[in-house]
Amino acid sequence: MHDQVIDAAGTDAARPARGTVRGPSGELRVALPSPAAVTTLAEAREAIDGLDAALATLLEHRTAIAAVVQRLKPVGGFAGRDPERERRIVEAMAARAPSLGAERLAPIVNAIIEAGLDAAEAGR
């Protein structure tokens, strides 16, 4: 098992999930267990719970930053989407997640962007 620091500064999660540890400056340490080291269903579920908690924290932070983007763009909301930028985002993520690839990541990224836009519009 190894840790990777995921910067979650600015989030208000009161208590991190198992497998995560809050650092002094808002950073979030997330255990990234090797799949080979997970030998029981309970261990696998605990690892997934920690990863899901980190994903939720990252998605919340991404949504807040995306709302800033919406305020700064000349045309915000769904009308201001940039398909070329979204394609580059998918490609960059696919480089980090080759087992998923761009084809599988594209609908995930689309859902994240649409949820963020919806949240930004609801927050106005």
Side-chain angles (χ1 to χ4, degrees):
M1 191 179 302
H2 65 285
D3 286 348
Q4 176 177 327
V5 174
I6 298 175
D7 183 2
T11 60
D12 292 282
R15 198 173 95 213
R18 292 184 104 179
T20 63
V21 177
R22 278 252 180 240
S25 64
E27 74 201 15
L28 182 66
R29 285 196 168 274
V30 180
L32 298 175
S34 164
V38 176
T39 59
T40 68
L41 182 57
E43 288 174 350
R45 287 183 172 162
E46 185 175 336
I48 287 172
D49 289 348
L51 293 167
D52 286 346
L55 282 170
T57 299
L58 290 170
L59 289 170
E60 180 69 14
H61 195 74
R62 187 192 195 286
T63 297
I65 298 298
V68 172
V69 170
Q70 293 308 305
R71 287 193 306 271
L72 296 173
K73 286 170 89 172
V75 177
F78 288 89
R81 288 184 73 168
D82 181 349
E84 179 59 27
R85 167 121 173 96
E86 292 176 21
R87 184 190 60 74
R88 288 192 312 268
I89 291 168
V90 168
E91 288 176 2
M93 290 178 74
R96 293 178 176 266
S99 67
L100 290 174
E103 193 171 297
R104 289 186 188 103
L105 285 167
I108 295 167
V109 170
N110 185 60
I112 291 168
I113 290 169
E114 288 185 359
L117 288 170
D118 187 55
E121 286 184 3
R124 288 183 183 186

